Amino acid sequence: MSPLDGMTRAADACALLDGFRNGRADPLAVAEAHIERIERIDPCLNAFSARATDVLELARAARDRYAAGTPAGPLDGVPVIIKDNLVSAGLPAAWGNAELGRRVPEHDELPVAALRKAGAIILGKGNTPEFAVEGYTGNTTFGVTRNPFDPALTPGGSSGGVVAAVASGMAVAGLGTDGGGSIRRPAGYTGLWGLKPGIGTSRRGRGLPQVLLDFETVGPITRSARDLALFHAVLSVQPGPARDRPLRILAVSRIGDSPCEPVIEAAFGEAIARLRALGCEVSEGEFPLDLDPLNEVWAQMVEIGLAHLEWSDPPVLAAAAQKYRDMAKRGSRVSAVQLYEAMTRVFALREAVRGLWGHDAVLMPTAAAFPWPAEEAFPTTIDNRSVGPRGHAVYTGWVNAAGLPGLTFPMNMPRVLPIGMQLVADRGCENMLLAVAERLDGAEPAEDLPR
């Protein structure tokens, strides 16, 4: 039985915060309810790789602040989960790795510090594949994470622990990272909203080494579009412009001859209809870019990043699974000239997407496949065609390399697992995407407020 069976739609952060302010909800009762749910459900889903021990203490302090009319910030008392590749004081930033799991940092990296300053209560860390470089969630240190809609399946990755916790009601919202689709695809697999900010939009620093250049950004995963905007306001360096005119959107259902499951394409058609109903000008067409040059060097860049990690912190790679040690070994053989060529291709891509070919946004699915068995790293077939490790992920990686923002929204179809769609915008246009998302979300979330 799914952990979601019999569960009413839980309150989002905005509903909880309103309840805290008017006395309809108690931060301590909310925290206790989440702890109870974690203890009951997480043995099935394995979303958490570490649990915080100060949750009730922080919740009592939040309750006292609300009683005094002095909340700490815009997220005071909201229970959240943090992906386990983000540094948080008092908890390991294990990154799926046994050596890092033995280290406990004494500081927060910048996005975690921003949430804590806003009053969010950190429940614990969300499991991730080792080094967050794969599209499912499992590792030899903490095991396999499962999808709340069907525990036999993966929630995707690499933010799988975060989405599993948020979708199942074990956390109100989460903080993830996205280096090639790691917020957008898992959010799509679990019916959630996710934002991958563009490069430089959200605070980053004082964290673990990067293994994928500047492709990886930090963003929120939530139950509603309004929560996404709330968390982005806390995390962003400065707000970007919004647009009040109808958006011009290019809808791309397939990239080249890469397969996509027919039901996902049907949901894509529904997404087009919803956007048109909002007044958007949606034109369907081919993807204007040839992604082969990027795809040819993608795996190589990850291997170079792991080689650098091995050079800078040898015990971490010594404790890693063999496949990652092998990747690092291959990366150490790549020449500076080859790395320069890879960077040249990335810079060319960033120039090619400038202005989005006269459109305000590009609409695509978040993934070409439905979730697959939880223990497997990727699906081997899509629409009855054989695919490789990134066959399911064809729609997302280019957005990271281009440095653009991407927002995932749910398209829940009858009798199937959740399906995610993404809107990709030009640099600095996160607020435009968030405004569209709030209109797409429409109905107020149901309120299930523990007292």
Side-chain angles (χ1 to χ4, degrees):
M1 184 173 72
S2 166
L4 295 184
D5 289 347
M7 175 185 170
T8 60
R9 187 177 181 188
D12 67 355
C14 288
L16 283 177
L17 289 162
D18 185 59
F20 294 159
R21 288 187 291 264
N22 62 30
R24 292 182 57 240
D26 172 10
L28 180 58
V30 168
E32 289 172 337
H34 281 83
I35 290 172
E36 183 277 331
R37 192 163 182 84
I38 292 167
E39 292 174 349
R40 178 162 48 89
I41 291 178
D42 201 46
C44 170
L45 297 182
N46 193 35
F48 284 83
S49 53
R51 295 265 305 276
T53 59
D54 59 354
V55 172
L56 296 182
E57 175 187 346
L58 294 172
R60 288 189 188 95
R63 180 180 61 180
D64 292 344
R65 288 192 294 270
Y66 278 107
T70 58
L75 299 175
D76 201 7
V78 176
V80 301
I81 182 171
I82 306 294
K83 188 174 176 179
D84 203 9
N85 64 338
L86 295 169
V87 172
S88 175
L91 291 168
W95 216 0
N97 179 268
E99 170 61 27
L100 288 172
R102 289 188 282 269
R103 305 177 187 178
V104 181
E106 298 179 353
H107 71 279
D108 293 329
E109 68 174 282
L110 295 184
V112 177
L115 289 191
R116 207 187 292 272
K117 182 179 179 181
I121 296 175
I122 296 172
L123 295 168
K125 306 298 285 291
N127 197 25
T128 179
E130 198 164 13
F131 308 123
V133 296
E134 293 189 88
Y136 84 121
T137 298
N139 56 67
T140 57
T141 306
F142 302 109
V144 173
T145 298
R146 300 178 180 277
N147 193 312
F149 288 86
D150 184 344
L153 305 178
T154 182
S158 59
S159 302
V162 172
V163 300
V166 176
S168 63
M170 291 190 287
V172 175
L175 191 63
T177 64
D178 192 316
S182 290
I183 286 174
R184 289 161 290 154
R185 291 197 311 276
Y189 290 144
T190 51
L192 299 173
W193 299 76
L195 177 67
K196 184 209 87 68
I199 290 174
T201 301
S202 296
R203 299 169 177 87
R204 195 76 200 262
R206 303 187 71 207
L208 296 171
Q210 296 298 293
V211 297
L212 199 55
L213 304 175
D214 60 353
F215 293 5
E216 184 185 273
T217 60
V218 177
I221 296 167
T222 65
R223 295 179 185 150
S224 67
R226 62 182 186 172
D227 275 10
L228 212 57
L230 173 66
F231 276 79
H232 178 65
V234 169
L235 295 165
S236 62
V237 175
Q238 59 185 7
R243 302 192 182 166
D244 54 8
R245 60 171 172 78
L247 300 187
R248 298 183 302 270
I249 298 174
L250 172 63
V252 179
S253 62
R254 291 203 181 205
I255 294 182
D257 63 353
S258 298
C260 180
E261 291 292 349
V263 176
I264 294 175
E265 288 198 89
F268 183 78
E270 292 292 328
I272 291 174
R274 285 177 61 183
L275 288 164
R276 285 176 173 159
L278 295 178
C280 297
E281 302 171 12
V282 184
S283 58
E284 299 179 62
E286 300 292 324
F287 191 54
L289 289 176
D290 176 10
L291 294 179
D292 286 346
L294 175 67
N295 294 335
E296 288 168 0
V297 298
W298 186 276
Q300 189 178 67
M301 288 188 289
V302 175
E303 291 169 355
I304 295 169
L306 289 173
H308 177 264
L309 179 61
E310 183 173 41
W311 173 81
S312 62
D313 198 340
V316 171
L317 261 294
Q322 185 63 49
K323 63 180 175 179
Y324 301 111
R325 298 202 298 272
D326 292 343
M327 291 168 70
K329 185 176 295 184
R330 291 194 296 270
S332 68
R333 301 192 198 105
V334 178
S335 71
V337 172
Q338 290 171 292
L339 175 60
Y340 200 95
E341 170 60 21
M343 293 303 303
T344 298
R345 297 184 186 193
V346 170
F347 295 148
L349 174 68
R350 292 180 182 179
E351 279 303 311
V353 302
R354 192 185 297 274
L356 287 184
W357 316 287
H359 298 89
D360 297 309
V362 177
L363 173 70
M364 290 180 165
T366 57
F370 285 103
W372 56 93
E375 297 84 358
E376 299 176 13
F378 60 91
T380 57
T381 60
I382 297 175
D383 193 22
N384 298 314
R385 288 174 54 187
S386 296
V387 295
R390 291 194 65 81
H392 65 291
V394 293
Y395 297 107
T396 51
W398 73 273
V399 185
N400 300 79
L404 303 178
L407 185 149
T408 292
F409 61 94
M411 283 294 301
N412 296 334
M413 304 288 283
R415 296 183 299 279
V416 298
L417 291 164
I419 297 171
M421 298 292 153
Q422 66 172 332
L423 282 169
V424 180
D426 209 350
R427 294 281 286 268
C429 293
E430 286 85 356
N431 281 354
M432 179 193 75
L433 293 177
L434 291 164
V436 176
E438 291 204 53
R439 295 181 66 201
L440 283 167
D441 201 7
E444 293 287 313
E447 294 189 10
D448 178 15
L449 302 177
R451 297 177 185 275

